Amino acid sequence: TMGMGVSEKEMGYLFGQYKRINVKSTSSSVPFMTRKESEVPGKAIALFAKEMLKDQNQSLMGKRCLILGSGKNARAVAAKLLEFGAIPLTFSDESGHVYEPSGIDESKLRTISNIKMERGAMLGRYVISSTTAKFNEPGSVFDIPCDLCFPCGQIKLVDAEAVTKLADNGCIGVIEGGHKNVTIEARQTLKSRGVMYGPHIMTLTGANIVNAHGHNLPGEILEEEVRRIYNDVKRTATEFNARGDLFAGGSMVGFLRVANAMLTHGAV
């Protein structure tokens, strides 16, 4: 699947026969579970990071990035970061983390993807094919100096202690690539340390963009949609006296859309 969260495959398990026999249930009238999983959600995460940095008069070029996780979302994030000139440094899974001090290029990313596409394969196998990679060194992935961190793994992956380590090592932003990767305490620490935070309620809207535009939407449309959503979240946060708080802004946008839809249907 895409990593943490729900994609077409999980929805297929939940809805079973109905989704399988009703071709109108997916975009472009294609029967359910007949498409390959989209990389759009992962690409959208990197694009949200780009928009956040643009507000700081910065870009992704040259930014050293920790990626936590190694599912399809994490690898799609890495691929998009490489397009923008950023430098992915790590991937992780249940076996631990691999760290490439000079960065993970397209060739190394292909090797990692090939390993992870094998059923049950662990990331530790990657060190066999690389003379420069470090495995579980240092002991904590959060001790690695970086500019940005993209947690794309399990819930509560980044706690307050991890944020403190990241900030002390020069990290300027944490952008969630999975559901609730950052704990409540960690969000508070991010705010107090002045570290940018891209919450999952905003960054994971790539799946919604896919549902609206189809799996093969052009890159320009994806960028436009990401920019629109980001600006909407930012503007709403400012409107409700939470300037710069994208988590609050995203929550408010979601609430307002549901409330407006209910009002449209006559709810009081």
Side-chain angles (χ1 to χ4, degrees), residues 40-101:
V40 170
K43 292 178 179 179
I45 294 163
L47 288 170
F48 276 112
K50 177 188 174 186
E51 292 298 319
M52 292 169 67
L53 286 169
K54 189 190 300 183
D55 275 353
Q56 306 295 323
N57 295 318
Q58 298 190 50
S59 73
L60 283 167
M61 178 64 68
K63 293 292 187 295
R64 295 171 63 81
C65 304
L66 295 186
I67 298 177
L68 311 180
S70 54
K72 190 162 187 177
N73 246 11
R75 302 196 303 272
V77 169
K80 197 65 177 177
L81 289 175
L82 286 170
E83 286 184 28
F84 290 123
I87 307 169
L89 298 174
T90 64
F91 282 104
S92 66
D93 65 8
E94 297 89 339
S95 66
H97 65 270
V98 293
Y99 168 40
E100 284 281 7

Side-chain angles (χ1 to χ4, degrees), residues 167-209:
D168 288 344
N169 286 324
C171 182
I172 62 173
V174 174
I175 296 89
E176 285 185 305
H179 292 278
K180 300 181 180 179
N181 293 145
V182 178
T183 66
I184 295 173
E185 296 77 16
R187 291 207 304 264
Q188 295 168 346
T189 306
L190 285 167
K191 191 172 184 178
S192 65
R193 293 297 299 266
V195 178
M196 294 186 302
Y197 171 47
H200 65 277
I201 52 178
M202 178 186 74
T203 59
L204 296 186
T205 51
N208 302 87
I209 296 173

Side-chain angles (χ1 to χ4, degrees), residues 232-252:
D232 196 12
V233 169
K234 186 174 64 171
R235 183 172 55 251
T236 303
T238 301
E239 180 181 350
F240 288 91
N241 297 320
R243 184 182 180 87
D245 189 337
L246 298 177
F247 184 85
S251 300
M252 293 169 191

Side-chain angles (χ1 to χ4, degrees), residues 6-17:
V6 177
S7 66
E8 279 200 347
K9 191 173 293 184
E10 285 78 10
M11 292 299 292
Y13 296 150
L14 290 171
F15 290 99
Q17 290 294 323

